[in-house]
Amino acid sequence: MSEPTENQRKLRVVVADDQAAVREPLAAVLALSEDIDVVAAAADGTEVLTAVAAGPVDVVLMDLRMPVMDGIETTRRLAEQYPQVAVVVLTTFADDESILGALGAGARGYLTKNAGRQDITRAIRAAAAGQSVLDREVQDRLLATARTTAAKTPVSGAALPEDLTPREREVLTLIGRGLPNRGIAEKLFISEATVKTHINNLFAKAGIPDRAAAVRRAIEAGLA
């Protein structure tokens, strides 16, 4: 990767984890990326808020289980006070409560700690660009939960807007099947940037707030 230009400045990242043995090596590894600047390392949610207030910060890489203030509450406060800051969760927990709690609080990405450096840096870049990134295990959990909920709940308002294009319906179908943006691009033989445009358009037309809601909507509409 070439050195970032003035118009391609480094992404300013806060790493949050209560374990120094995790936090410090993770910060050091991320700092090796030429487009990422780790501006702070935090041991709990209050330290995250302090670092963001001192800012500027683009992305917080957030652990969930932390003392004083946990990751979900911290994410909620960031969404309220600093909506321009994206949160990517990095945790050992992939249970429904943790996933739905974090995404509901405003997290833009969710990775488990078996993610590699490339996965993490890709998620940070995507989150900073306004995209959502969920690892495969998390996607599978969301799909299972959405299908269970849809099976138990009478479908209400599942009809999609009439002005959705055929391509936007295809994209929604593939989101419902758990494909990330890259997988959708490969499936439809289009670029990831085009996929993002379709997602933004269909989210706006259908009133879909995030990827988790898109999965549920696709299932309710019978697309997935």
Side-chain angles (χ1 to χ4, degrees):
M1 179 182 299
S2 60
E3 188 68 24
T5 67
E6 184 176 352
N7 293 327
Q8 297 173 320
R9 63 168 177 75
K10 290 188 175 185
L11 296 175
R12 297 160 297 211
V13 177
V14 172
V15 174
D17 195 296
D18 65 322
Q19 298 182 40
V22 174
R23 181 176 68 248
E24 294 173 3
L26 181 57
V29 167
L30 290 177
L32 297 175
S33 299
E34 293 181 348
D35 62 337
I36 292 176
D37 182 14
V38 179
V39 296
D44 59 57
T46 59
E47 292 186 8
V48 171
L49 294 177
T50 298
V52 171
V57 172
D58 298 302
V59 180
V60 176
L61 191 62
M62 184 85 71
D63 187 23
L64 288 186
R65 302 294 193 266
M66 298 185 293
V68 186
M69 184 185 299
D70 67 22
I72 291 177
E73 177 60 25
T74 307
T75 299
R76 183 175 295 110
R77 296 198 186 189
L78 287 173
E80 293 172 352
Q81 300 173 27
Y82 305 97
Q84 76 280 9
V85 177
V87 173
V88 174
V89 170
L90 181 64
T91 180
T92 57
F93 301 95
D95 57 281
D96 291 350
E97 182 179 358
S98 297
I99 295 169
L100 295 176
L103 295 178
R108 198 170 289 168
Y110 197 113
L111 304 176
T112 55
K113 285 186 176 177
N114 58 6
R117 175 192 167 192
Q118 289 187 338
D119 296 321
I120 296 171
T121 54
R122 187 181 302 121
I124 288 172
R125 293 171 188 133
Q131 301 174 28
S132 296
V133 176
L134 310 174
D135 75 14
R136 189 70 209 187
E137 183 180 358
V138 172
Q139 290 181 40
D140 290 344
R141 294 290 302 221
L142 281 175
L143 284 168
T145 300
R147 287 186 174 123
T148 299
T149 302
K152 293 180 178 179
T153 306
V155 175
S156 175
L160 294 170
E162 294 183 1
D163 60 344
L164 280 190
T165 66
R167 181 63 90 191
E168 288 163 359
R169 285 178 178 270
E170 286 182 307
V171 170
L172 182 58
T173 297
L174 296 176
I175 290 175
R177 293 175 183 172
L179 271 68
N181 286 6
R182 176 174 293 184
I184 294 172
E186 292 173 352
K187 187 79 171 178
L188 299 180
F189 301 101
I190 57 179
S191 69
E192 286 189 63
T194 301
V195 170
K196 182 183 175 184
T197 297
H198 287 313
I199 289 175
N200 289 340
N201 290 340
L202 77 88
F203 278 22
K205 291 178 182 178
I208 297 173
D210 54 42
R211 209 174 188 92
V215 171
R216 293 193 294 270
R217 192 68 179 275
I219 292 170
E220 290 173 354
L223 297 179

